Amino acid sequence: MALDLFNSVKLGTIQLANRIVMAPLTRNRAGEGGVPQEINAKYYAQRASAGLIISEATPISAMAHGYPALPGIYTEAQIAGWKKVTDAVHAQDGKIVMQLWHVGRISHPSLLPNNALPIAPSALKPAGQAFTYQGLVDFVTPRALEIGELPGIVADYVHATKNALAAGFDGVEVHAANGYLLDQFLRDGSNKRTDQYGGTFENRARLLLEVVQAVAAVAGADKVGVRLSPVNPFNDMKDSRPQALFNFVAEALNPFNLAYLHVVEGGIHGAGIAAPFDFDDLRGRFKGAYIANLAYDKARGNAAIASGHADAVAYGVPFIANPDLVARFKVDAPLNQADSASFYGGGEKGYTDYPFLQVK
Ligand code: PHB
């Protein structure tokens, strides 16, 4: 019989009970100082029947923040807060990796230490507005990172990885998608550098590969995943040759023997795609496990696994509204509809109060 969403799978050294992955979801409900609270542990534990939970994107340093009330992974208090989360997930026999995040230019001085300018590969202001504590505010022109600062960025990823492991995570995912810092280096709409970190594919991928190398040296490559979003226009992103660029990136990641590659196969937040793209071609270039994401339902998820396109499928919005999504898929139960007004910020409402299936 063909494989489906309910078969177990091993991604690197991470053993998944099923192939239904909870996608990373920004929820803006951390406590003071970016410290996860009991309510956050409850939310993740409710969703522990996912084969794997990928945590919400988590800033690796104070300069990595771009939205209010994000949980961080760079202080002792944050490690202790996340330990509550991983303990609660593991108590339910779940698996959870942390998504490591630097937002780069998608920020605002009011969210950064000493009102610093956001940092980026190039001093290019993205179109659009930042979510700040004062509401929506136009993005500012970021400061281009000096080449001598890049080892410090890599060091922040290493520090965050050590902290994530100390907090009990089963692995880490390097966020190189959706228009944040590493994606800003990859795509030529946001990277106009003329040094070794700009221009050719090799140069634009250099920072990502340095981060992956350094993170894998700490965690073990079999506990490290990478997330890409080749044609997601969100955050004012574009590239002149996305297929060739991301095929190059997928092949450049092969020698690491990573746990998985996780791909956002389109534009998020209802955005279309920035250019046509062949995700089967990309998938074929990558020799390890592949997690497909974006707008999959159960039938398309099963089909992606049966065809060999994906080893697992990540579901985002369905997991917000259905903590027991795995059980619902299993019996073809109707799904709760997500309330988008409570996606970002707030408390229990729209976070930990979605109903589970009634056991008859
Ligand atoms: C968002 O908050 O809209 C968001 C955060 C992280 C992502 C994508 C979207 O990777």
Side-chain angles (χ1 to χ4, degrees):
M1 244 179 59
L3 291 170
D4 68 18
L5 288 167
F6 300 100
N7 289 105
S8 62
V9 67
K10 211 166 172 188
L11 304 181
T13 52
I14 311 167
Q15 180 71 49
L16 280 59
N18 59 65
R19 294 163 185 248
I20 301 168
V21 172
M22 178 172 161
L25 294 159
T26 293
R27 304 304 308 274
N28 311 81
R29 284 167 166 88
E32 199 64 30
V35 177
Q37 308 290 308
E38 290 296 343
I39 185 179
N40 310 114
K42 180 177 177 188
Y43 161 77
Y44 282 108
Q46 285 178 339
R47 288 154 181 80
S49 58
L52 177 67
I53 295 172
I54 303 169
S55 81
E56 62 207 274
T58 301
I60 60 167
S61 68
M63 277 300 291
H65 278 260
Y67 302 87
L70 299 175
I73 189 67
Y74 51 90
T75 71
E76 289 299 324
Q78 292 165 355
I79 297 172
W82 278 116
K83 186 79 171 54
K84 291 182 193 161
V85 173
T86 64
D87 282 347
V89 170
H90 290 149
Q92 307 286 329
D93 290 326
K95 296 287 165 67
I96 182 166
V97 297
M98 166 164 278
Q99 196 194 45
L100 301 176
W101 197 20
H102 196 308
V103 299
R105 68 182 186 172
I106 303 302
S107 190
H108 187 269
S110 68
L111 294 164
L112 297 174
N114 306 315
N115 277 292
L117 275 182
I119 53 179
S122 302
L124 291 173
K125 179 165 85 152
Q129 295 186 305
F131 290 87
T132 73
Y133 287 99
Q134 291 78 41
L136 286 169
V137 183
D138 286 353
F139 286 123
V140 298
T141 302
R143 178 175 73 77
L145 282 159
E146 288 170 26
I147 196 163
E149 294 179 279
L150 298 180
I153 300 286
V154 176
D156 287 342
Y157 278 93
V158 169
H159 180 235
T161 301
K162 289 179 180 163
N163 290 347
L165 296 175
F169 282 92
D170 297 296
V172 295
E173 176 175 291
V174 174
H175 189 345
N178 300 341
Y180 299 106
L181 183 68
L182 295 174
D183 196 23
Q184 289 159 26
F185 271 84
L186 289 175
R187 293 198 251 178
D188 61 12
S190 44
N191 183 345
K192 305 292 181 194
R193 297 179 75 94
T194 53
D195 62 11
Q196 292 141 266
Y197 291 83
T200 64
F201 294 162
E202 193 181 10
N203 283 356
R204 283 187 268 143
R206 191 178 305 282
L207 183 62
L208 169 62
L209 298 178
E210 287 176 350
V211 166
V212 168
Q213 167 90 52
V215 164
V218 169
D222 48 15
K223 290 189 169 61
V224 178
V226 170
R227 195 176 204 221
L228 302 173
S229 62
V231 283
N232 182 9
F234 179 63
N235 285 329
D236 197 18
M237 292 299 288
K238 55 181 180 299
D239 187 80
S240 57
R241 295 173 63 206
Q243 189 83 49
L245 168 64
F246 285 94
N247 284 355
F248 172 89
V249 173
E251 289 179 343
L253 291 171
N254 281 329
F256 294 104
N257 291 315
L258 297 175
Y260 64 83
L261 178 64
H262 178 188
V263 180
V264 183
E265 296 178 335
I268 66 169
H269 295 313
I273 54 171
F277 197 88
D278 181 346
F279 287 98
D280 279 321
D281 184 5
L282 179 78
R283 197 279 165 268
R285 311 265 170 173
F286 185 68
K287 299 307 171 207
Y290 182 99
I291 304 178
N293 171 243
L294 205 67
Y296 278 84
D297 58 13
K298 176 184 166 182
R300 288 186 53 237
N302 276 330
I305 287 169
S307 73
H309 175 68
D311 298 281
V313 179
Y315 295 87
V317 172
F319 259 116
I320 290 181
N322 299 275
D324 53 353
L325 185 66
V326 174
R328 287 174 190 257
F329 274 178
K330 189 92 194 172
V331 300
D332 286 316
L335 300 184
N336 299 322
Q337 290 309 301
D339 162 37
S340 61
S342 50
F343 281 0
Y344 303 109
E348 294 262 352
K349 188 178 168 308
Y351 191 54
T352 50
D353 65 350
Y354 283 103
F356 284 70
L357 273 183
Q358 299 300 317
V359 184
K360 298 213 179 68

